[in-house]
Amino acid sequence: MGRGTRRIVRLRPPDPLCRGGGVLSTLTYADYLRMETLLSLQEPRTPPTAGRAVVLAEQFFIITHQSCELWLKQLGADLDAAAEALLPPCDTQDLELGLEFLLRAGEVIRVLQQQLLVLEKLPLRYFAEFRGHLGTASGAQSAQFRRLTTLLGNSHHPGDLYEAFAAAVEYHGQSVQDVCRRGVECGVLHRLAEALVDLGNGYWHWKVAHLALVSKMVGEQGGTGGSSGVDFLARRVTRPFPELRRLRGRAHLAQPSAVGEGGV
């Protein structure tokens, strides 16, 4: 090149895998989700001699229940986080964060209910064939489900989540009755109350769907874990947050009676 001639040097964009002269290891989708381990966790106990359809039916049964347990892990973590966000001292930002957790938990409950609808596609004849291989294993033994009942409560105890909500309401100079009576005037406290009601109803719908599925699949047979089966599950179908539902119901007392006027 002669004098006065500029040499154009084109720089390559930095390599995202290089840092400090070294090369970062690549992370694949399979590695991130640990797919090899995940897909190896389904081990039907049905012997291969039973036929492919029966083995696949048990695999379907296992995958559905494993998926439920994964969703229960997320549900429990979100509800724990919601309760923690609502514990005083809690400002408006804490309340909004708790609401986010509750809304997501409500969607997870709906996913759990949908998985029961999927499980209805398990043919009864195949279920009856592999059910004996379950031994004493029973869904009633789920530690995560028992933890969920502690969080949500039932008609006998309010549950950790409702107690955290009531504490947050009191911290902000209100009562749960005030929030139910004043509605949207209470802002995020009202939205929290509504989210709890939706969550409780979703839980109730999920348990009713489970009861219906078990009734369809086992009839009057006892449960695999030694329970009475359908009767045992029926006693566990409860609605969380009874105090909140009772206080919300008082809204009707302030309205003129619709009886005899075509009202419900």
Side-chain angles (χ1 to χ4, degrees):
M1 293 184 182
R3 290 183 179 179
T5 303
R6 291 186 177 180
R7 181 180 180 183
I8 299 176
V9 179
R10 299 187 182 277
L11 299 177
R12 294 182 179 179
D15 188 340
L17 299 181
C18 295
R19 180 180 297 169
V23 178
L24 295 179
S25 60
T26 57
L27 180 64
T28 67
Y29 175 83
D31 291 338
Y32 180 68
L33 296 181
R34 302 184 64 183
M35 292 296 294
E36 184 175 353
T37 299
L38 180 63
L39 298 181
S40 68
L41 298 178
Q42 296 75 45
E43 299 181 358
R45 294 175 174 266
T46 302
T49 54
R52 183 182 184 187
V54 181
V55 174
L56 288 179
E58 187 182 358
Q59 176 178 286
F60 172 58
F61 184 81
I62 293 172
I63 287 175
T64 305
H65 283 78
Q66 287 179 338
S67 299
C68 285
E69 287 294 330
L70 287 173
W71 283 120
L72 281 172
K73 178 180 180 179
Q74 183 65 46
L75 180 60
D78 281 344
L79 294 181
D80 273 330
E84 182 178 338
L86 298 181
L87 286 176
C90 49
D91 57 21
T92 302
Q93 184 175 349
D94 295 323
L95 300 182
E96 292 287 359
L97 179 61
L99 179 61
E100 285 184 356
F101 286 124
L102 286 180
L103 293 176
R104 183 163 69 196
E107 292 303 319
V108 172
I109 287 280
R110 277 183 272 276
V111 171
L112 286 166
Q113 182 184 356
Q114 288 298 316
Q115 292 207 161
L116 291 176
L117 300 180
V118 173
L119 199 53
E120 288 189 352
K121 300 305 178 183
L122 174 65
L124 176 59
R125 63 188 184 280
Y126 299 148
F127 179 53
E129 191 165 344
F130 74 72
R131 188 175 183 232
H133 295 290
L134 302 181
T136 57
S138 169
Q141 299 163 352
S142 172
Q144 293 198 111
F145 179 77
R146 289 196 298 272
R147 170 60 181 149
L148 181 61
T149 60
T150 300
L151 284 165
L152 296 181
N154 53 37
S155 57
H156 303 293
H157 65 90
D160 297 347
L161 192 57
Y162 181 77
E163 289 183 342
F165 167 70
V169 169
E170 182 179 358
Y171 178 77
H172 285 271
Q174 304 285 333
S175 69
V176 176
Q177 181 175 345
D178 290 335
V179 173
C180 293
R181 177 177 56 83
R182 295 174 58 202
V184 295
E185 295 179 26
C186 292
V188 66
L189 292 175
H190 166 70
R191 296 195 298 275
L192 282 165
E194 295 300 294
L196 287 174
V197 172
D198 289 342
L199 181 67
N201 283 346
Y203 175 85
W204 184 76
H205 285 303
W206 173 38
K207 300 316 296 177
V208 169
H210 184 222
L211 176 64
L213 174 65
V214 173
S215 178
K216 172 185 175 181
M217 298 300 289
V218 305
E220 300 301 320
Q221 299 296 314
T224 52
S227 72
S228 58
V230 173
D231 291 340
F232 172 77
L233 291 176
R235 291 193 298 270
R236 289 165 60 115
V237 177
T238 59
R239 287 178 294 174
F241 318 128
E243 179 67 7
L244 181 58
R245 288 185 282 106
R246 183 182 69 82
L247 292 174
R248 289 177 82 256
R250 289 186 175 181
H252 299 281
L253 301 179
Q255 303 299 323
S257 175
V259 177
E261 299 178 5
V264 178

